[in-house]
Amino acid sequence: MKLFYSLILFISIFLVSSCSFNQIALGLDNSENYIVSYDDSIPESLKEIIDMSFNHSSTKDENKTLIFIRDFNSTNYNIYAGSSLRSLEGEVTASIKLEIISNSKTNNKNIKVMKRYNSSELNPYAEQEAIRSLKEIIDNEIFNQILLEVNFFEM
């Protein structure tokens, strides 16, 4: 019986140690290898989040990876249902186009994030505050998707 428990313990330790889980993060030395450019449609809140991680250098280097973020689109959609004359819930959708270019390859992605909120609040200011906080969450999710795509591109 002692041998059985030892075998189970060994197998479980082996499985946990061989798991190659790795947190996706941009290293300090890696952030200087990218040049990020935006078009006019990208909001300032999203630019600030992206600028915190990627180093903006104005020098053009052939070995740097170019990241183009463009065509930001954000829409609010109200969903009407039931016997009331106002919406029961709303949907905030944001999308961008991401293009990553290096010397050897190019990757184009469309990133779309959608969030729903309950709009049956009697206070319209509370609904506006919910939409504002959802837009902040959407900006963070878009940033996380950009980081994910850049890391996949570099693999």
Side-chain angles (χ1 to χ4, degrees):
M1 198 66 163
K2 197 175 206 183
L3 180 64
F4 178 71
Y5 289 123
S6 298
L7 181 64
I8 296 279
L9 181 66
F10 175 73
I11 290 174
S12 62
I13 289 174
F14 179 73
L15 289 176
V16 169
S17 67
S18 66
C19 178
S20 62
F21 176 74
N22 189 10
Q23 183 178 1
I24 295 178
L26 202 61
L28 294 175
D29 56 343
N30 253 356
S31 67
E32 297 176 359
N33 294 334
Y34 303 103
I35 297 175
V36 181
S37 63
Y38 312 102
D39 71 352
D40 295 335
S41 66
I42 307 298
E44 289 297 321
S45 60
L46 186 58
K47 285 181 185 179
E48 289 174 3
I49 294 171
I50 294 171
D51 286 343
M52 281 189 240
S53 289
F54 294 105
N55 223 358
H56 273 323
S57 63
S58 60
T59 61
K60 297 286 184 183
D61 189 6
E62 295 297 323
N63 297 329
K64 291 191 177 188
T65 302
L66 302 173
I67 301 172
F68 295 108
I69 302 170
R70 55 188 164 87
D71 297 338
F72 180 84
N73 186 14
S74 178
T75 58
N76 292 336
Y77 178 71
N78 291 323
I79 300 169
Y80 296 96
S83 61
S84 66
L85 294 176
R86 52 173 214 243
S87 65
L88 293 178
E89 62 181 20
E91 183 177 273
V92 179
T93 305
S95 64
I96 64 163
K97 291 184 181 177
L98 175 68
E99 184 176 8
I100 307 170
I101 301 172
S102 74
N103 290 338
S104 59
K105 58 185 176 178
T106 300
N107 191 4
N108 292 319
K109 288 286 182 176
N110 290 329
I111 297 174
K112 185 174 185 178
V113 178
M114 179 187 71
K115 293 288 182 188
R116 287 192 174 193
Y117 63 94
N118 189 2
S119 66
S120 62
E121 295 285 334
L122 295 177
N123 186 356
Y125 295 115
E127 185 176 333
Q128 290 174 358
E129 188 66 25
I131 292 172
R132 190 185 64 74
S133 67
L134 274 180
K135 287 186 178 183
E136 289 175 6
I137 292 171
I138 286 174
D139 286 348
N140 287 329
E141 284 194 19
I142 287 175
F143 171 69
N144 289 335
Q145 286 291 324
I146 290 171
L147 274 182
L148 187 69
E149 292 299 330
V150 168
N151 282 326
F152 282 154
F153 183 79
E154 293 298 324
M155 286 183 168

